[in-house]
Amino acid sequence: MRTEPSLRHKIRERVNPHTQTLILALNQFIEDAKKRLPSEYSQLVVIADNLDRIVPIPQEDGRSNHEHIFLDRSEQLKALNCHLIYTVPISLVYSNRATDLRDIYGSDAQVLPMIMVQTPENESYQRGINKVQELLQKRVSQIDPNLSISDMFEQPEALQQLCLMSGGHVRNLLLLMKEAIKYNNNLPITTRALQRSISETRITYRNTVYADEWQALAKVYHSKRIVNDEQHRNLLFNRCILEYRHRDKEEQIQCWYDIHPLIKGIKEFQDSFNNLNIS
C-alpha cells in the first residue's frame, strides 16, 4: 500500500460495503479480549495514534479529508465497544468544525501542548528544560541503565541547546538527538555534530514555509498569539507554530503560541521580523 498509493483507493472501494461486518467482527474480538484480562481489570482502551499526522487533502466537495474521517465517519469511529482515544489533527481542532467535534464525541478535544522550555518573554525556562532532560534520560535508560544523558554530550551547553531547539516538541527532540548521534562515530556527542543536526533540520523547516507565511510567523513571534485562519492552521499542522499552556495564579489555563525555535535562525524569518511595523 505504501509503494502503490492507488491501491489504497481500490482497497477502500472493496472494504466500504463491508464496514458494518468489520465493526461487528472487531467488537467480537474486543469482547473476547475483555474476558482474558487480568482479574483486576475489566475494560480496554484503544489509542489510535499518529492520526494527527494525516496530511490535509481538499476533497471534490470542498471539504478536507480530515472532515470526512473524523466527522462523516464518526459513528464508525465510535462503534467499537471499548474506550477510544483518537489523535486529531490540530488544524481541525482550530477549524470552524471544532464545535461539531465536541458535539459528536461528547467533550472538547484535549490538546497536548509543548513542554515549555522558553517563556513568552523569550527567556529559558529551566523547569521545562529539566523535564525534557528527564524524558531523554528515560529513553536512554531503556538502552543502558548506567548511561547518563549528561554524559552523552561533550559539553553541558550542548544538551541545553538541544532542549531549547526542540521547542519542547518531543518528536522533534528525539529527531534532533537521532541526527546528532548519526553525525558522531562515538560518544559523547560533539557540539559540532549537534550544530549539524540543527542546521539540517532547519533547512527542512525553511522548505516547509511558503513565501507569504514568513510575515505571519514574525507576527506570532512578536505577539505570541495566532489568527484563527487557514494560514495559521496550516502552520500549526506543520509544527512551524507551537502551542503552549500553563496555569496562572488563579489556576486559569493560559494559552500562548510561538514559532518553532529552529525557524528563528532562518534569514527569511529574520528579514520579516526586522521589517515588522511594531508600535
Side-chain angles (χ1 to χ4, degrees):
M1 289 180 65
R2 294 193 178 199
T3 56
E4 295 184 46
S6 61
L7 186 60
R8 300 180 190 180
H9 180 69
K10 294 177 183 177
I11 291 175
R12 288 193 191 101
E13 288 184 331
R14 296 291 296 272
V15 168
N16 275 337
H18 306 286
T19 301
Q20 292 305 316
T21 306
L22 286 170
I23 290 174
L24 178 63
L26 279 169
N27 280 331
Q28 290 174 343
F29 175 78
I30 289 169
E31 289 305 314
D32 184 57
K34 287 180 180 179
K35 295 175 184 177
R36 300 167 186 269
L37 289 172
S39 58
E40 64 269 29
Y41 299 102
S42 61
Q43 296 295 326
L44 288 174
V45 58
V46 172
I47 303 175
D49 201 3
N50 290 332
L51 301 183
D52 55 312
R53 297 167 67 180
I54 297 176
V55 176
I57 302 174
Q59 306 295 298
E60 293 180 357
D61 58 4
R63 299 158 72 232
S64 75
N65 56 329
H66 291 169
E67 294 176 75
H68 282 276
I69 294 168
F70 295 100
L71 300 178
D72 297 352
R73 299 274 185 165
S74 60
E75 290 304 317
Q76 295 166 7
L77 292 179
K78 297 191 299 178
L80 300 185
N81 293 332
C82 62
H83 298 291
L84 290 157
I85 298 174
Y86 293 109
T87 54
V88 182
I90 188 70
S91 48
L92 184 60
V93 175
Y94 280 90
S95 74
N96 59 358
R97 305 304 302 273
T99 53
D100 294 327
L101 274 176
R102 181 190 59 203
D103 294 343
I104 289 171
Y105 293 98
S107 64
D108 289 315
Q110 302 298 304
V111 176
L112 183 65
M114 304 300 106
I115 300 172
M116 196 170 78
V117 294
Q118 193 163 297
T119 68
E121 293 73 37
N122 302 318
E123 297 177 354
S124 299
Y125 183 59
Q126 194 58 47
R127 185 180 176 188
I129 292 172
N130 292 342
K131 188 59 63 174
V132 171
Q133 292 181 9
E134 180 184 330
L135 188 153
L136 283 172
Q137 182 61 59
K138 287 181 180 293
R139 179 60 65 94
V140 168
S141 296
Q142 292 179 351
I143 302 169
D144 185 349
N146 299 316
L147 185 60
S148 169
I149 186 62
S150 58
D151 294 335
M152 291 187 64
F153 289 85
E154 188 177 53
Q155 296 178 329
E157 293 79 11
L159 176 57
Q160 188 91 348
Q161 186 181 25
L162 170 67
C163 297
L164 287 171
M165 287 297 103
S166 73
H169 189 286
V170 176
R171 192 180 301 153
N172 277 181
L173 173 73
L174 297 178
L175 178 62
L176 285 168
M177 181 81 168
K178 177 183 175 182
E179 290 298 301
I181 292 173
K182 187 176 72 176
Y183 295 131
N184 250 72
N185 292 325
N186 300 291
L187 293 178
I189 297 170
T190 64
T191 302
R192 180 183 178 89
L194 178 61
Q195 290 297 339
R196 185 173 176 184
S197 170
I198 291 171
S199 179
E200 292 286 345
T201 310
R202 181 174 284 140
I203 291 172
T204 300
Y205 273 91
R206 181 182 179 277
N207 294 337
T208 300
V209 180
Y210 290 112
D212 61 347
E213 293 176 332
W214 293 113
Q215 188 176 37
L217 289 170
K219 289 180 179 178
V220 171
Y221 178 63
H222 170 66
S223 68
K224 308 303 182 191
R225 298 193 297 268
I226 63 170
V227 178
N228 194 0
D229 60 14
E230 192 67 26
Q231 184 182 61
H232 288 78
R233 285 194 291 270
N234 288 337
L235 290 169
L236 276 167
F237 179 81
N238 292 331
R239 301 188 300 278
C240 293
I241 295 176
L242 303 177
E243 178 176 332
Y244 298 88
R245 296 187 177 198
H246 68 273
R247 291 187 181 273
D248 60 20
K249 294 180 180 178
E250 284 73 39
E251 288 298 308
Q252 298 297 313
I253 296 177
Q254 302 295 331
C255 298
W256 58 281
Y257 303 85
D258 205 349
I259 64 171
H260 197 291
L262 291 171
I263 292 176
K264 298 175 187 177
I266 299 175
K267 185 179 185 302
E268 287 86 345
F269 165 76
Q270 294 170 350
D271 290 343
S272 294
F273 184 74
N274 291 334
N275 292 329
L276 270 186
N277 185 13
I278 302 174
S279 58

